[in-house]
Amino acid sequence: MVTSRRIADVASEAGVSPTTVSHALSGRRPVAPATRARIMDAVERLDYRPDRLATSLRTQRTQTLALIVPDIANPYYPASARALLDGVNEAGFMTLIANTDGDPEGEREALQEMVARRVDGIVMHSLATSTADLRRIVGPDLPVVVVGGVSGLIATDLVVTADSVGIGEAVKYLHDKGVRDLGFVDGTEGNGMHRLAAFLGAAHALGMNVQEDWIGHTPFTREGGFAAAMSLLHGDRRPAAIMCANDLIAIGVMDAARALSISIPQDLAVIGFDDIETAALVTPQLTTITNPASLTGATCAEMLLERIALGADAPYMTRVLPTSLVLRESA
Amino acid sequence: MVTSRRIADVASEAGVSPTTVSHALSGRRPVAPATRARIMDAVERLDYRPDRLATSLRTQRTQTLALIVPDIANPYYPASARALLDGVNEAGFMTLIANTDGDPEGEREALQEMVARRVDGIVMHSLATSTADLRRIVGPDLPVVVVGGVSGLIATDLVVTADSVGIGEAVKYLHDKGVRDLGFVDGTEGNGMHRLAAFLGAAHALGMNVQEDWIGHTPFTREGGFAAAMSLLHGDRRPAAIMCANDLIAIGVMDAARALSISIPQDLAVIGFDDIETAALVTPQLTTITNPASLTGATCAEMLLERIALGADAPYMTRVLPTSLVLRESA
DNA sequence: CCACTGACACAAACCGATTTGCAAAGGAGC
DNA sequence: GCTCCTTTGCAAATCGGTTTGTGTCAGTGG
């Protein structure tokens, strides 16, 4: 292949017009078998492959999706991304990926850029923008699946995990073990707050004690968890258990406990969220709440394809995925 | 925003021609300040954002790159991907991502699809195709950075890690500890074989004993490592140490050792490769060889941008990244 | 006063496909 | 033999931008 071929090259090679080549390839109009054969032969010989840019410009469909995540290096997302990619790949879609670092500004830029590239749909994790703003940016008709909670009116399809179920389970488990003093390390404010809310609701319902200074906010990283726990465990009265908005934070909390010679789970129970692969590998093994990453990705793929097939007029859908407590050693 | 605006809308809103709008926005020809102001104002008011498809079709540049990896869910890649995305993002590039599962056929398809989408460059991990075939698929002029070894003639830019250095270090370390019987669990054949080769070279140079049935091949996963180790540790004579082509395999090997009640590192030393985050978290902590994922990604970004700036005529470049042994508990 | 120059804006061609309207040819029915 | 379809293929318009060639106008130098 010296240079890339155009449809006109194929046409002249086969002795027909570009129109006929297009029809032969797309099948949108009948083409005589003999002609079609000549065309296919020419395609083969020239190794012709249509320019997707031109096709997309004309058809207004790009066969491309956008995946927007806070941080692909955060181990929860790759699993989800993988399932998403697999799901849409079969349908002939490729995926553009962008990181936002949880920053609303970054989110906005990513969205705008994706829209300018005319993606056919967007999967958006952890929306920090309101769906009203979202719709202002992407327009009313572009399929968007948001994973996780949203604030404000819902104007997108939604994949949510039933976080409160797993969290309730975990709180009840601690309660049954006799724990009364509870702390929670949440992610950055404005994001994932619903996990904190679910936690507070469950703790309150069981009459447990949650001091204000036992609640921390921090980035969703191991370092963040470490820092938050260090300050949280500093006071003269400590909680007997700490739950965390994700596993990385929980691992950071365990780092802190180790640094402070607090033994887990005897002196401090720790419960994470997500059940990333590493959770089963740390010492002590992390008790956590499953967040079915790969199921989430697959569900996003499914919903997005469905939405694309349905069109924008069909009512918004919400799908709820299960979570549950996984008992290991840390609690 | 009711519907997306075209340049013609902006032009009529500002009372000029589309040409002038284009010039005003791109700055490729001078536009009178007053006119420019009117145009900018119209752009603002209509929230106009040029259609990248149309622009790309005309300019033959998409500002889009391709990242092709065996499996984004494999924890080595997200770190690398993140650094790559960050690096090219600054330059205004977005990235399409595809998984190949190490399958040559999948690789080919991914490449073809990326080419059809007219990406400006490709980062390719673990090429299973020869670079000659690669060039046949992508053409002679498209920038490609390959990470890891290649077979056959080199016809791309290359980012390699000095695997043999770290591996040599590790073998020497084991030798100095008195170990003489060595095994190796490699990834799927045809891929990563150079790690096995480096291992064999180093072991041979130090006169160590590597039985044929102490060498396993398996997918780059924990399960793969487990299965390989189970069969490898089954014989009547066992190696005193096993080195692995990546950390996931090594963790699987440790799983197997645990299942067989072989204690690490006393009865069996295990050394991984990559130094993924989890390596420091497992018990016993995994001794491994660093593979600077994030540096790799950043280097790819740098090289690709450089190549795009340089053009296809500049000679191919190779950049070598360091590796080194990280001593922990498993060896 | 005229030729020349630079600044500025526009019309038209182009990127590479798809799609619509139309014409020519061949076959069926009367 | 003539009309009416159906089949088959082409020319031209279109998607939404960018780029090139051209024309106009005001200012400058001789």
Side-chain angles (χ1 to χ4, degrees):
Chain A
M1 192 188 78
V2 176
T3 177
S4 98
R5 302 308 191 155
R6 294 163 325 203
I7 198 170
D9 299 326
V10 177
S12 74
E13 175 86 7
V16 297
S17 78
T19 310
T20 308
V21 175
S22 177
H23 288 325
L25 290 177
S26 70
R28 297 186 58 88
R29 274 200 193 171
V31 168
T35 313
R36 148 173 288 115
R38 277 213 322 287
I39 290 172
M40 290 312 184
D41 198 52
V43 165
E44 185 82 9
R45 211 161 39 241
L46 298 180
D47 191 30
Y48 168 72
R49 217 166 297 276
D51 185 324
R52 287 261 192 194
L53 287 178
T55 305
S56 294
L57 178 59
R58 181 62 232 247
T59 62
Q60 300 292 68
R61 276 174 292 102
T62 52
Q63 295 283 97
T64 303
L65 302 179
L67 172 62
I68 302 180
V69 295
D71 177 12
I72 188 66
N74 178 325
Y76 169 75
Y77 295 107
S80 166
R82 179 62 212 254
L84 174 72
L85 291 177
D86 287 347
V88 301
N89 196 31
E90 284 171 42
F93 285 86
M94 299 246 89
T95 303
L96 282 166
I97 189 164
N99 295 104
T100 66
D101 286 315
D103 171 35
E105 179 60 20
E107 229 174 56
R108 222 173 42 79
E109 276 173 29
L111 283 169
Q112 287 180 339
E113 192 55 36
M114 295 305 187
V115 171
R117 283 181 153 77
R118 297 294 184 264
V119 294
D120 290 340
I122 298 178
V123 172
M124 173 108 216
H125 279 260
S126 311
L127 185 68
T129 320
S130 75
T131 58
D133 285 342
L134 173 73
R135 278 299 166 202
R136 193 166 315 122
I137 295 173
V138 306
D141 293 339
L142 185 60
V144 177
V145 172
V146 173
V147 182
V150 298
S151 51
L153 232 52
I154 295 177
T156 69
D157 294 316
L158 224 50
V159 172
V160 299
T161 47
D163 293 1
S164 56
V165 174
I167 288 171
E169 229 178 290
V171 171
K172 176 151 194 322
Y173 167 78
L174 291 172
H175 182 268
D176 290 353
K177 274 185 66 172
V179 170
R180 288 299 174 271
D181 296 342
L182 271 178
F184 192 94
V185 181
D186 197 16
T188 22
E189 305 206 30
N191 216 309
M193 294 277 287
H194 66 286
R195 288 191 187 155
L196 174 57
F199 164 78
L200 289 173
H204 182 77
L206 291 173
M208 298 179 84
N209 176 31
V210 182
Q211 286 192 19
E212 191 137 342
D213 60 345
W214 290 346
I215 294 178
H217 292 276
T218 183
F220 285 101
T221 61
R222 186 179 179 184
E223 293 72 25
F226 180 82
M230 288 305 271
S231 90
L232 196 150
L233 294 171
H234 187 268
D236 44 345
R237 193 167 161 206
R238 288 198 317 241
I242 296 182
M243 291 180 55
C244 306
N246 81 350
D247 286 346
L248 290 181
I249 292 176
I251 291 171
V253 169
M254 294 205 296
D255 290 341
R258 195 170 308 116
L260 297 172
S261 301
I262 299 173
S263 69
I264 295 175
Q266 293 79 18
D267 299 344
L268 179 70
V270 177
I271 297 184
F273 200 111
D274 279 350
D275 194 19
I276 61 179
E277 185 163 337
T278 302
L281 299 174
V282 294
T283 309
Q285 290 180 34
L286 184 64
T287 289
T288 186
I289 297 165
T290 55
N291 187 2
S294 133
L295 179 59
T296 300
T299 306
C300 288
E302 210 174 282
M303 277 186 100
L304 206 45
L305 296 177
E306 206 172 318
R307 166 61 61 195
I308 289 172
L310 250 50
D313 290 337
Y316 292 123
M317 309 174 279
T318 294
R319 215 154 291 174
V320 181
L321 305 179
T323 66
S324 68
L325 184 64
V326 181
L327 290 177
R328 295 210 181 90
E329 299 169 354
S330 72
Chain B
M1 192 188 80
V2 176
T3 177
S4 98
R5 302 307 191 154
R6 293 162 324 197
I7 198 171
D9 299 326
V10 176
S12 73
E13 175 84 7
V16 297
S17 77
T19 310
T20 307
V21 175
S22 178
H23 288 325
L25 290 177
S26 70
R28 296 186 60 88
R29 275 200 192 171
V31 169
T35 313
R36 151 173 286 115
R38 278 213 321 287
I39 291 173
M40 290 312 183
D41 198 53
V43 165
E44 186 82 10
R45 211 161 41 242
L46 298 181
D47 191 29
Y48 168 71
R49 218 166 296 277
D51 185 324
R52 287 259 191 197
L53 287 178
T55 304
S56 294
L57 178 59
R58 181 63 232 244
T59 62
Q60 299 292 69
R61 277 173 291 105
T62 52
Q63 296 282 97
T64 303
L65 302 179
L67 172 62
I68 302 181
V69 295
D71 177 11
I72 189 67
N74 178 325
Y76 169 75
Y77 295 107
S80 167
R82 179 64 213 252
L84 174 73
L85 292 177
D86 286 348
V88 301
N89 196 31
E90 283 172 44
F93 284 86
M94 298 247 90
T95 304
L96 281 166
I97 190 164
N99 295 104
T100 65
D101 285 315
D103 170 35
E105 179 61 21
E107 228 173 59
R108 222 172 44 79
E109 277 173 27
L111 282 170
Q112 286 179 338
E113 192 56 36
M114 294 304 187
V115 170
R117 283 179 151 79
R118 298 294 186 261
V119 294
D120 291 339
I122 298 178
V123 172
M124 174 109 217
H125 279 259
S126 312
L127 185 68
T129 320
S130 75
T131 57
D133 285 342
L134 173 73
R135 279 299 166 203
R136 193 165 316 121
I137 296 173
V138 306
D141 291 339
L142 184 60
V144 177
V145 172
V146 173
V147 182
V150 298
S151 51
L153 232 51
I154 294 176
T156 68
D157 295 316
L158 222 51
V159 172
V160 300
T161 47
D163 292 1
S164 56
V165 173
I167 289 172
E169 228 178 291
V171 172
K172 177 152 192 322
Y173 167 78
L174 291 172
H175 183 269
D176 290 353
K177 273 186 68 171
V179 170
R180 288 297 174 274
D181 295 343
L182 270 178
F184 192 93
V185 180
D186 197 17
T188 22
E189 304 207 31
N191 215 310
M193 294 277 287
H194 65 286
R195 288 189 188 156
L196 174 58
F199 164 79
L200 290 173
H204 183 76
L206 291 173
M208 297 178 85
N209 176 32
V210 182
Q211 285 193 21
E212 191 137 341
D213 59 347
W214 291 346
I215 294 178
H217 291 276
T218 184
F220 284 101
T221 61
R222 187 180 179 182
E223 293 71 26
F226 180 84
M230 287 305 271
S231 91
L232 196 151
L233 294 171
H234 186 268
D236 44 345
R237 195 169 159 203
R238 288 198 317 241
I242 296 182
M243 290 180 57
C244 305
N246 80 350
D247 286 345
L248 290 180
I249 292 177
I251 290 171
V253 169
M254 294 206 296
D255 289 342
R258 195 170 308 118
L260 297 172
S261 302
I262 298 173
S263 70
I264 295 174
Q266 293 79 17
D267 298 345
L268 180 69
V270 176
I271 298 184
F273 201 111
D274 279 350
D275 194 20
I276 60 179
E277 186 165 337
T278 302
L281 300 174
V282 294
T283 308
Q285 289 180 35
L286 183 64
T287 289
T288 186
I289 298 164
T290 55
N291 188 1
S294 137
L295 178 59
T296 300
T299 305
C300 288
E302 209 174 285
M303 276 186 100
L304 206 45
L305 295 178
E306 206 172 320
R307 166 61 60 196
I308 290 173
L310 249 50
D313 291 336
Y316 292 122
M317 309 174 279
T318 295
R319 214 154 292 174
V320 181
L321 305 179
T323 67
S324 69
L325 183 65
V326 181
L327 290 176
R328 295 209 181 90
E329 300 170 354
S330 71

